[in-house]
Amino acid sequence: MTVHFVGAGPGAADLLTVRAARLIAEADLVLYPGTYLDPEALAPCAEGAELVDTQGLDLDRIVDLLVRGAAAGRRVVRLVSGDPSLYSALAEQTRRLSLAGVAWDVTPGVPAYAAAAARVGRELTVPLVAQSVVLTRTRARSTPMPRSEALGRFAATRASLVLHLAIRRVRALMDEIEPEYGGDCPVVVVHRASQPGELVLWGTVATIAGAVERAGLRQAAVVLVGWALADGGGESHLYDRARDRTGGTDGPGGPDDVTNGA
């Protein structure tokens, strides 16, 4: 049997993909991260399916459950919050499954940062303001960050910055990036985006730490930083009328030639 790694999205059950909901509904065994996942995301589970909260389990125990479930012919789903491509421990789990001879596949989900940006109605790539997005995290009680990925280096680009797993160190992190972004650069913190208990905090590099501390946030929050969050910027060359007159928008280089969000 194949073990399915499924992105559960940011939490809201109606943000599950159709494929994710189908796999969850068909599963005999579902392992899920209780710390970050809204229980409503488990609503599609069939009656009688075994549900295992992994928040108190180490990697060996999780993989053992996956291997045993597959060996027993059970339909196994390993839910991860957000999208499996970001901070999901996918690599070490799939590596161990492959060594055990267990087949696996991956179903993507809506990432938490996308849900956060949607919640506040902002695009992270705004013409003439920021055309790149840096997705990163900080070191707290986790593996070290590579030296080449120091936050100050990313801040020097002035790209839109998305900080995961960073809420407990937000004051130190804002101090670190302030020389590049400036104290008045907009910052948004979204706690449990799309879930019950969702909280949105607007501020600046200089003020957001105080807002986070007053709210008592300790986990399950995404920090968005950058001037793209301000209400302004240029207009995309993609839809410029002058561009239409010099070649139209349906040929090479037009909107139909652009992938992933024209």
Side-chain angles (χ1 to χ4, degrees):
M1 296 293 286
T2 298
V3 171
H4 304 288
F5 288 84
V6 176
D14 59 357
L15 286 179
L16 288 169
T17 66
V18 173
R19 183 186 301 176
R22 175 178 59 80
L23 290 171
I24 295 169
E26 294 174 350
D28 303 307
L29 172 62
V30 178
L31 281 69
Y32 68 95
T35 301
Y36 297 103
L37 193 66
D38 179 6
E40 188 65 23
L42 300 173
C45 292
E47 184 177 353
E50 182 182 359
L51 308 181
V52 178
D53 185 350
T54 60
Q55 64 177 309
L57 304 181
D58 62 21
L59 184 62
D60 287 339
R61 180 58 178 152
I62 291 170
V63 173
D64 181 62
L65 288 169
L66 298 176
V67 171
R68 288 177 178 270
R74 305 178 78 186
R75 292 167 292 190
V76 182
V77 164
R78 171 61 167 129
L79 282 178
V80 301
S81 59
D83 179 77
S85 67
L86 292 176
Y87 310 118
S88 67
L90 177 70
E92 51 260 53
Q93 293 176 78
T94 56
R95 183 165 55 243
R96 294 185 183 204
L97 289 179
S98 294
L99 288 172
V102 176
W104 53 270
D105 62 19
V106 180
T107 294
V110 176
Y113 81 88
R119 176 63 180 82
V120 298
R122 289 294 188 269
E123 180 183 358
L124 300 180
T125 53
V126 175
L128 306 182
V129 177
Q131 289 290 282
S132 301
V133 180
V134 176
L135 308 174
T136 189
R137 66 167 179 84
T138 181
R139 180 181 180 179
R141 293 178 298 175
S142 56
T143 51
M145 292 291 289
R147 290 185 179 180
S148 61
E149 296 182 20
L151 187 59
R153 293 192 177 192
F154 290 139
T157 68
R158 290 176 63 88
S160 295
L161 185 64
V162 178
L163 294 171
H164 292 269
L165 308 173
I167 198 64
R168 297 190 184 197
R169 298 191 61 238
V170 69
R171 182 173 294 278
L173 297 175
M174 293 302 106
D175 288 344
E176 188 172 349
I177 68 175
E178 184 170 2
E180 300 294 345
Y181 285 97
D184 57 344
C185 179
V187 180
V188 180
V189 172
V190 183
H191 170 68
R192 295 197 178 279
S194 84
Q195 298 188 31
E198 176 188 77
L199 177 64
V200 178
L201 301 176
W202 280 90
T204 66
V205 167
T207 66
I208 196 65
V212 167
E213 290 164 0
R214 287 190 294 273
L217 301 185
R218 303 289 290 170
Q219 63 179 10
V222 176
V223 182
L224 308 179
V225 181
W227 287 103
L229 297 169
D231 189 13
E235 297 198 356
S236 174
H237 178 61
L238 186 64
Y239 297 112
D240 194 327
R241 288 187 177 183
R243 182 188 180 100
D244 293 347
R245 292 194 295 270
T246 59
T249 58
D250 294 328
D256 291 344
D257 194 47
V258 178
T259 60
N260 196 26

